[in-house]
Amino acid sequence: MFKSVDDLQTAMSQQDYIAERGLAVAVFLALKTGKPLFLEGDAGVGKTEIAKVLAALLETDLIRMQCYEGLDINTAVYEWNYAGQILHLRLMEAEGLARDDMEGELFSERFLLKRPLLQAIEKSVNGRAPVLLIDELDRSDEEFEAYLLELLSDFQISIPELGTVKAAAPPIVVVTSNRTREIHDALKRRCLYFWIDYPHFHKELEIVQRKAPDVPPMLARQITAFIQDMRSMELFKRPGVAETLDWTAALIALDQNELALETVQDTLGVILKYQDDVEMLDATTIQNMIERAKVEAQRV
């Protein structure tokens, strides 16, 4: 894989992911030890992107399981194709097959619908384990979290009708959480943990310039300074890096070379997703933020 943390950090940079040393160490150790990587942080700071970058670097598949309230084993692991089984059963009855033969036919891999967790256990590309992204685990229920704890211990899944499926090479697991609720300590102990914070000015500026190479340099600095200033406000939802990049793309599409009051007012919906936050930024507040951003952009 990678001989050192520096090699990994360089490789991630080549994929336009700017990782500080601490994060690069956590990813490196997860790859070396085979432990799942548990990433927490506010939405939009780049947790999910790490799994995508790893899949690209390792030239393997990315299997993503999006968590939500009510997620159960049938959706996450496997379920049987009941409609297909019923149709096949009628055909077998018409052919006069014995009951034991019918059961063997019905509960075979032919009718097994493999969901993300089972896919990750079974799948490999040229002998390479896939990257399994368990995204926003905090949105799922504690029952599912308990099942996941068992899976991450043994990397095997029991299917009563077929037996136990065990991973030949355990997948590279990345678990993310926006911390809308606390994840149980038992699961965290199975993982290597890292908190991803909002980036500082220079890191975010580099991200903007990497992801949007067509952005005018002065505008890139103004955007970054404006977003950094906005994050210091008491907002319900502070903008993440994802919103910074979306706003950059919007301003480029509008042929802007610098921040202006009217344009910022027109595009606030790209950055802020709650009306209460939008209402906090009246014209005077926005103009003052623009002026501070321009001063900061000139200073850098």
Side-chain angles (χ1 to χ4, degrees):
M1 293 188 187
F2 302 97
K3 294 181 179 179
S4 67
V5 175
D6 291 336
D7 287 344
L8 174 60
Q9 204 168 5
T10 300
M12 293 178 74
S13 179
Q14 290 170 351
Q15 293 289 325
D16 292 333
Y17 191 97
I18 312 302
E20 65 269 24
R21 179 77 180 183
L23 176 57
V25 169
V27 175
F28 180 80
L29 291 176
L31 293 175
K32 283 289 185 179
T33 63
K35 280 182 168 289
L37 179 62
F38 188 94
L39 302 173
E40 276 193 322
D42 291 321
V45 294
K47 303 183 297 297
T48 300
E49 192 68 20
I50 287 180
K52 297 178 182 178
V53 169
L54 281 178
L57 289 177
L58 301 174
E59 297 180 351
T60 190
D61 281 354
L62 172 66
I63 298 175
R64 178 174 181 172
M65 188 182 71
Q66 180 64 49
C67 297
Y68 55 87
E69 186 177 353
L71 178 65
D72 59 15
I73 304 304
N74 290 336
T75 308
V77 187
Y78 75 92
E79 63 180 326
W80 293 102
N81 182 356
Y82 296 115
Q85 285 174 317
I86 290 172
L87 179 60
H88 192 62
L89 177 62
R90 290 175 179 171
L91 291 174
M92 289 189 294
E93 287 175 341
E95 294 174 359
L97 292 181
R99 182 182 181 88
D100 290 344
D101 293 333
M102 288 185 184
E103 288 183 358
E105 284 279 332
L106 290 176
F107 293 100
S108 62
E109 285 206 31
R110 175 181 178 182
F111 296 106
L112 185 66
L113 301 177
K114 299 176 182 179
R115 302 307 186 194
L117 293 183
L118 181 56
Q119 291 174 21
I121 292 295
E122 281 195 332
K123 196 169 187 178
S124 64
V125 179
N126 298 324
R128 299 177 183 179
V131 174
L132 171 61
L133 169 62
I134 302 171
D135 211 11
E136 298 183 329
L137 178 61
D138 53 317
R139 293 183 181 273
S140 66
D141 302 321
E142 292 186 3
E143 291 79 5
F144 176 74
E145 187 182 327
Y147 178 83
L148 187 61
L149 174 63
E150 181 181 352
L151 176 68
L152 296 181
S153 300
D154 303 322
F155 288 106
Q156 66 180 28
I157 291 172
S158 294
I159 303 174
E161 298 84 355
L162 297 178
T164 300
V165 181
K166 187 174 179 62
I172 298 159
V173 181
V174 177
V175 183
T176 75
S177 169
N178 295 335
R179 209 173 187 179
T180 57
R181 72 170 176 88
E182 286 293 336
I183 303 300
H184 198 279
D185 288 344
L187 192 142
K188 284 188 175 182
R189 287 199 300 270
R190 300 280 183 192
C191 308
L192 297 176
Y193 176 84
F194 193 85
W195 172 271
I196 300 181
D197 208 345
Y198 291 109
H200 55 71
F201 177 88
H202 292 287
K203 178 181 176 180
E204 189 160 23
L205 176 60
E206 185 176 358
I207 293 170
V208 169
Q209 292 172 328
R210 289 285 192 94
K211 295 291 188 178
D214 295 334
V215 64
M218 183 57 70
L219 178 60
R221 294 196 291 270
Q222 291 178 9
I223 289 171
T224 305
F226 189 94
I227 293 291
Q228 293 271 325
D229 192 4
M230 183 177 286
R231 290 198 191 115
S232 67
M233 302 175 64
E234 293 296 326
L235 299 174
F236 182 78
K237 171 62 179 72
R238 292 182 291 173
V241 178
E243 283 74 33
T244 305
L245 297 175
D246 288 345
W247 195 38
T248 302
L251 294 177
I252 292 174
L254 293 172
D255 297 322
Q256 299 299 300
N257 291 312
E258 64 175 8
L259 296 184
L261 176 59
E262 184 177 356
T263 306
V264 173
Q265 288 177 314
D266 291 342
T267 57
L268 275 181
V270 180
I271 318 168
L272 301 175
K273 308 304 178 181
Y274 292 89
Q275 183 59 26
D276 289 346
D277 290 343
V278 172
E279 291 175 354
M280 285 184 62
L281 275 73
D282 57 29
T284 301
T285 301
I286 293 173
Q287 187 60 50
N288 290 336
M289 293 173 68
I290 290 173
E291 291 173 4
R292 289 196 296 270
K294 289 182 176 180
V295 171
E296 181 67 16
Q298 291 287 354
R299 189 181 65 80
V300 174

